[in-house]
Amino acid sequence: MKTAGVIGGGAWGTALALVCARAGLATTLWAREPDVVTAINETRENKTFLPGVVFDAPVRATTDLADLAGADFVLNVTPAQHLRASLDAFRPYARAGVPMVLCSKGVEQGSLNLMTEVLEQGLPQASPAVLSGPSFAIDVARGLPTAVTLACPDEELGFQIGTALSLPTFRPYLATDMIGAEIGGSAKNVLAIACGISEGRGLGRSAHAALITRGFAEMTRMAIALGGKAETVAGLCGLGDLVLTCSSPQSRNMSVGLALGGGQTLEQALAGKVSVAEGVASAPAVVALARKLGVEAPICEAVAAILAGQAQVEEAITRLMSRPIKSER
């Protein structure tokens, strides 16, 4: 593989474009915003979404999806709730069998589809893969050591893409279970909001550890109910991503939770943010999916209720701590 296309010019899309370029791939990055494209092409910096990182490898930016038509594989990094629209826009230029690596994390509102299901419906001729794991865009962009899961049902294709993306500072681990990879990435954003609320409320490290552990149980139950594997969720794309996202204010989702726990409204918590906190949009969809599957997800339900204004923080905490006593497993 010699060429890569990236759909999405946010922080994560820009960081992954840099990974591709550093790996020696001719890389084209599509961004919706003309000013982002101009800045990248003229100053070698995405000043809007990833300021302060000057590109050390050649990336060509464009506002025309046709420029990605010839890419050997495409990384789709649009936010989860906009994935379907991006696939519709790319469809006229997508060749049969084009490898499409899904890098957004979430459950689609309304349909309750995972991102691979949205891809199957919107671009059925594509060969799917999922990239997920503990990875802050700024760390990846700066070339700091990062390991991720690359899940692809076609093992040979997964190996080819993983090899093409591999760097001394960026290591993909291969898997075939896309469902496990997706659920880990989707639920962890909601759980990070819960951990942020706990931190913002000053509930202590013990509560923080309990939320991560019991949140991990929720995402594992959901993955298994959908046909995924518990061992996938126990890897980088599940537990690894959960630990990172729930442990640093650098996480967009945890930062929203910190603001809510500190007494801000959701509108105040989101004000001025240029990047999307996926957990805010995904929370009601994750909860609806859990209910559809008959899976208990009390922490995700508490977050969704707080975000919807249906419960106050103290009320949600009391409900969680007052649930009937039961076996941990």
Side-chain angles (χ1 to χ4, degrees):
M1 293 187 167
K2 298 181 179 179
T3 60
V6 179
I7 301 177
W12 188 218
T14 303
L16 287 175
L18 279 169
V19 168
C20 293
R22 288 167 181 161
L25 299 165
T27 304
T28 303
L29 170 66
W30 176 89
R32 179 175 56 86
E33 304 86 354
D35 57 326
V36 169
V37 170
T38 299
I40 291 173
N41 289 335
E42 294 184 358
T43 70
R44 299 171 61 83
E45 181 182 354
N46 186 337
K47 297 178 183 295
T48 301
F49 295 105
L50 204 61
V53 177
V54 178
F55 292 11
D56 57 1
V59 173
R60 182 172 73 95
T62 181
T63 56
D64 188 353
L65 282 169
D67 291 338
L68 277 61
D72 290 331
F73 66 95
V74 176
L75 302 171
N76 194 308
V77 202
T78 51
Q81 306 307 326
H82 300 283
L83 175 63
R84 191 178 297 274
S86 77
L87 295 173
D88 290 343
F90 185 60
R91 188 182 302 116
Y93 315 110
R95 69 181 188 281
V98 59
M100 179 71 70
V101 184
L102 301 172
C103 307
S104 53
K105 302 169 182 178
V107 176
E108 188 179 47
Q109 293 178 343
S111 71
L112 305 185
N113 287 156
L114 299 178
M115 298 298 96
T116 48
E117 294 174 305
V118 176
L119 176 62
E120 184 177 359
Q121 297 161 13
L123 204 65
Q125 68 267 42
S127 297
V130 172
L131 187 146
S132 185
S135 47
F136 284 145
I138 189 63
D139 291 347
V140 173
R142 289 175 175 166
L144 300 178
T146 303
V148 296
T149 298
L150 178 64
C152 182
D154 182 334
E155 292 187 68
E156 176 58 29
L157 177 60
F159 178 79
Q160 291 176 10
I161 297 172
T163 300
L165 292 173
S166 180
L167 291 169
T169 58
F170 191 82
R171 179 176 175 82
Y173 282 82
L174 303 180
T176 57
D177 176 20
M178 294 194 299
I179 292 175
E182 287 191 271
I183 283 297
S186 302
K188 63 96 183 182
N189 286 325
V190 182
L191 297 167
I193 296 175
C195 285
I197 292 172
S198 175
E199 288 288 294
R201 213 61 158 193
L203 301 184
R205 306 311 297 172
S206 300
H208 188 101
L211 285 170
I212 291 177
T213 307
R214 295 312 302 163
F216 177 67
E218 292 185 18
M219 69 162 60
T220 303
R221 288 195 292 265
M222 291 181 65
I224 292 173
L226 283 165
K229 300 176 181 178
E231 55 263 39
T232 306
V233 185
L236 290 162
C237 57
L239 181 59
D241 211 358
L242 180 66
V243 169
L244 177 70
T245 312
C246 292
S247 301
S248 173
Q250 189 176 331
S251 159
R252 290 169 291 184
N253 293 285
M254 187 175 181
S255 69
V256 169
L258 281 166
L260 294 172
Q264 293 186 24
T265 65
L266 180 59
E267 292 73 20
Q268 291 170 329
L270 296 176
K273 294 185 181 297
V274 295
S275 296
V276 175
E278 292 273 24
V280 175
S282 291
V286 168
V287 168
L289 179 59
R291 289 173 178 168
K292 179 181 177 181
L293 296 169
V295 169
E296 284 192 339
I299 299 173
C300 289
E301 288 186 0
V303 172
I306 292 170
L307 293 174
Q310 297 169 350
Q312 298 299 313
V313 170
E314 297 299 337
E315 177 188 359
I317 294 169
T318 300
R319 287 180 185 173
L320 284 173
M321 296 300 291
S322 303
R323 298 178 70 242
I325 299 298
K326 59 179 63 176
S327 169
E328 186 173 18
R329 296 184 179 276

